[in-house]
């Protein structure tokens, strides 16, 4: 039954910008199960390109043998096209406003990109606000958020133009990471609007994790909102998207058994180490844990649950290690400073690394000088669940060492795929409900500009009429009387606005449909000629264009 249901799930693939005709079979290595009912659509960005001034060079359009014959004609043609080019530039804002703004995800994750690529594109949490500011400085990006974990780096944006936004974000990712655009396009995911929303809801629910139902990802989604507070580019729509995702994630965890018996990345790492040890036991293994943050603490808990009674923990400060030691008084937890990392690693049979370091901590030249491990262990194990990786990839070249990273955890979690799919199906109805709520909330926001315009329109009339009234009194009016006139005008306006404002809101409390609300909005626009004012979207695009031309 579950296998049959699995066949109905759509498969999501990365979307190469320059290869819209790429076959599904050629992308199979980047595919992953889609737990939702909505398939991933491959958008052909190439066919959507607009003509730019760089495209008008005749040498780009003809072969070398024809260049001489059209040279004089090309000069005349270019001269005649100057006015057309100027018109193209000046009408840019009008052309762009024909596209509605879109929610877009551009990213890489454990299903589509190897850790070698993800670690280069990874953005530390401390740099998220700066990244949001840089993204929103791009011409077609209005709002942005960054979700960067050991399993994914995903950029969420509200793009004023879908195709241009994707291009700008991809180029920004390439510039900040040093990974060529062509390489990013091989591994990235592109999701738009409802697909993007559903993806984030699945992420927050643990359905998109390497380890189904793992709880740490919901905390990481919450952290995106926490970090984004106060950052101008973390706007109301992207912020609302993440807040709705948190609600969906909480509901999935409380209303289904998705988390029962589930494992985390840390527990999967502990299981992987047991599989690789000659003796599947921690009783005699000399264990080192590098890092005592959230991931390190989880590692230590799972090691203890699997019977590890003694370990060394290397960390910048002893405070966190001491707190863990107090929690597990029956286990011998020995603290070592970072300065003793190499000596501690050389004494260990099994090394777990899970720090936020942006550079490797252990290199081949260092590890090859370590003394051999005990005969029954055979080779030293390095389980590196950090992104970027803490153990340099060259260490795996040594015969005395075996290195495993987060991508190797698939070996642990793939064994129970049938159970994973069954649990995922339990969560889908909740995700669909929350998806509908978010879409209704987002659609209802279309009335916000009209509400603001109407309020401003009425306020202009009120202020003008009050001023006209006061001018008739001249100086023969007291401050108290002025206040009374002002209060009267405000009271009248408030009562008159109440009805129209109520009919422009769609919060689901009064049974009013979205279509009815939107029709009310259009009627108000017609009656008071509000639509003749410059649209909010057009004004935003004009501002972006003016800034880019300075």
């Amino acid at each position: 039954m579950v296998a049959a249901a699995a066949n109905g799930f759509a498969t999501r693939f990365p979307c190469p910008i320059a290869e819209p005709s790429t076959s599904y079979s050629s992308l199979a290595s980047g595919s992953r199960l889609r737990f939702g009912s909505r398939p991933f659509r491959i958008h052909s960005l190439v066919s959507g390109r607009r003509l730019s001034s760089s495209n008008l060079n005749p040498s780009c359009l003809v072969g070398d043998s024809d260049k001489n014959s059209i040279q004089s004609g090309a000069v005349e043609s270019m001269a005649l096209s100057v006015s057309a080019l100027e018109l193209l530039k000046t009408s840019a804002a009008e052309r762009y406003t024909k596209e509605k703004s879109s929610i877009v995800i551009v990213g890489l994750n454990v299903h589509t990109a190897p850790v070698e690529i993800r670690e280069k594109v990874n953005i530390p949490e401390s740099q998220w606000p700066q990244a949001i500011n840089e993204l929103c400085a791009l011409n077609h990006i209005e709002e942005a958020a960054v979700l960067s974990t050991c399993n994914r780096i995903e950029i969420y944006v509200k793009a004023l133009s879908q195709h241009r936004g994707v291009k700008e974000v991809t180029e920004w990712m390439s510039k900040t990471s040093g990974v060529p655009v062509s390489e990013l396009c091989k591994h990235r995911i592109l999701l738009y609007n409802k697909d993007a929303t559903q993806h984030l809801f699945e992420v927050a629910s643990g359905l998109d994790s390497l380890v189904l139902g793992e709880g740490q990802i919901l905390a990481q989604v919450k952290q995106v909102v926490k970090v984004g507070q106060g950052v101008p580019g973390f706007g109301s729509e992207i912020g609302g998207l993440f807040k709705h995702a948190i609600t969906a994630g909480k509901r999935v965890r409380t209303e289904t058994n998705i988390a029962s018996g589930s494992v985390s990345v840390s527990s999967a790492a502990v299981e992987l180490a047991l599989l690789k040890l000659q003796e599947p036991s921690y009783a005699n293994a000399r264990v080192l844990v590098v890092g005592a943050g959230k991931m390190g603490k989880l590692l230590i808990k799972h090691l203890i649950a699997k019977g590890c009674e003694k370990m060394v923990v290397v960390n910048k400060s002893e405070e966190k290690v001491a707190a863990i030691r107090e929690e597990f008084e029956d286990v011998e937890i020995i603290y070592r400073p970072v300065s003793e990392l190499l000596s501690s690693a050389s004494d260990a049979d099994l090394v777990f690394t899970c720090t936020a370091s942006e550079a490797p901590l252990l290199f081949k030249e260092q590890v090859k000088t370590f003394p051999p491990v005990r005969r029954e262990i055979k080779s030293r194990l390095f389980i590196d669940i950090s992104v970027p990786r803490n153990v340099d990839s060259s260490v795996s070249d040594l015969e005395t060492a075996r290195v495993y990273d987060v991508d190797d955890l698939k070996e642990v979690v793939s064994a129970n795929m049938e159970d994973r799919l069954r649990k995922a199906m339990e969560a889908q109805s909740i995700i669909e409900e929350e998806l509908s709520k978010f879409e209704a909330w987002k659609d209802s926001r279309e009335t916000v500009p009209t509400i603001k315009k109407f309020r401003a329109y009425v306020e202009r009339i009120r202020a003008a009429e009050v001023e006209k009234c006061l001018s008739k009194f001249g100086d023969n009016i007291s401050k108290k009387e002025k206040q009374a006139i002002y209060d009267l005008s405000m009271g009248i306006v408030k009562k008159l606005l109440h009805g129209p404002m109520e009919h422009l809101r769609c919060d689901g409390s009064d049974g009013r449909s979205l279509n009815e609300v939107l029709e009310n909005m259009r009627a108000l626009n017609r009656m008071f000629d509000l639509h003749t004012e410059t649209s909010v979207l057009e004004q935003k695009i004009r501002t972006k264009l003016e800034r880019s031309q300075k």
Side-chain angles (χ1 to χ4, degrees), residues 92-108:
E94 284 77 3
R95 290 185 297 109
Y96 293 173
T97 52
K98 292 179 181 178
E99 283 191 74
K100 286 186 66 176
S101 61
S102 303
I103 292 178
V104 181
I105 300 175
V106 183
L108 311 171

Side-chain angles (χ1 to χ4, degrees), residues 80-95:
L80 291 172
S81 65
V82 169
S83 58
L85 279 173
E86 290 304 316
L87 179 62
L88 193 65
K89 292 175 182 177
T90 56
S91 64
E94 284 77 3
R95 290 185 297 109

Side-chain angles (χ1 to χ4, degrees), residues 313-329:
V313 179
V314 170
N315 197 52
K316 287 182 179 179
S317 63
E318 189 176 3
E319 184 180 352
K320 289 184 178 180
V321 180
I324 296 171
R325 191 188 293 125
E326 289 179 9
E327 190 174 342
F328 302 100
E329 296 178 352

Side-chain angles (χ1 to χ4, degrees), residues 120-281:
K120 293 177 182 177
V121 187
N122 178 72
I123 303 173
E125 184 182 312
S126 61
Q127 296 177 19
W128 290 359
Q130 178 186 342
I132 291 172
N133 289 332
E134 290 181 5
L135 285 163
C136 290
L138 301 174
N139 286 341
H140 299 90
I141 304 303
E142 185 180 3
E143 299 178 14
V146 177
L147 177 59
S148 185
T149 72
C150 61
N151 283 334
R152 70 187 67 249
I153 164 63
E154 294 175 349
I155 306 296
Y156 294 74
V157 298
K158 180 181 178 183
L160 299 177
S161 167
Q162 194 174 95
H163 293 170
R164 295 176 183 86
V166 168
K167 181 177 183 293
E168 289 174 355
V169 172
T170 304
E171 290 174 349
W172 178 85
M173 292 175 73
S174 175
K175 180 181 177 182
T176 57
S177 66
V179 178
V181 169
S182 59
E183 188 67 20
L184 289 176
C185 290
K186 291 178 184 177
H187 301 286
R188 72 181 178 183
I189 60 167
L190 293 179
L191 295 170
Y192 307 96
N193 298 318
K194 288 185 179 180
D195 286 339
T197 302
Q198 179 159 346
H199 173 76
L200 180 57
F201 285 14
E202 290 175 354
V203 167
S205 302
L207 296 184
D208 193 64
S209 298
L210 181 64
V211 181
L212 186 79
E214 58 107 351
Q216 192 171 9
I217 185 61
L218 180 58
Q220 291 163 333
V221 171
K222 290 179 180 178
Q223 193 64 16
V224 172
V225 176
K226 183 178 179 180
V227 173
Q229 298 298 326
V231 181
F234 188 75
S236 58
E237 189 156 331
I238 289 294
L241 170 65
F242 273 81
K243 288 172 184 175
H244 277 79
I246 292 168
T247 300
K250 287 179 178 177
R251 282 194 61 195
V252 166
R253 282 171 169 76
T254 56
E255 298 177 28
T256 73
N257 65 348
I258 191 78
S260 62
S262 68
V263 289
S264 63
V265 170
S266 299
S267 65
V270 172
E271 293 286 351
L272 178 64
L274 278 177
L275 291 175
K276 301 304 178 182
L277 285 170
Q278 294 298 116
E279 297 179 6
S281 170

Side-chain angles (χ1 to χ4, degrees), residues 287-291 296 299-300 303 311-315 350 352 354:
V287 176
L288 170 66
V289 177
V290 183
L299 257 173
I300 293 168
L303 283 167
M311 68 190 76
V312 175
V313 179
V314 170
N315 197 52
L350 175 56
F352 291 94
C354 50

Side-chain angles (χ1 to χ4, degrees), residues 46-90:
V46 175
S47 61
R49 274 193 319 185
R50 294 188 186 274
L51 196 63
S52 67
S53 56
S54 62
N55 300 132
L56 297 176
N57 188 339
S59 64
C60 299
L61 306 175
V62 298
D64 291 338
S65 61
D66 298 323
K67 286 181 182 177
N68 293 333
S69 63
I70 69 163
Q71 187 172 6
S72 59
V75 172
E76 294 176 10
S77 175
M78 291 297 287
L80 291 172
S81 65
V82 169
S83 58
L85 279 173
E86 290 304 316
L87 179 62
L88 193 65
K89 292 175 182 177
T90 56

Side-chain angles (χ1 to χ4, degrees), residues 279 284-286 349 371-380:
E279 297 179 6
N284 300 316
R286 297 176 296 174
D349 303 318
V373 293
R374 291 174 296 137
R375 186 173 300 175
E376 59 269 28
I377 299 293
K378 290 189 177 181
S379 58
R380 185 173 279 102

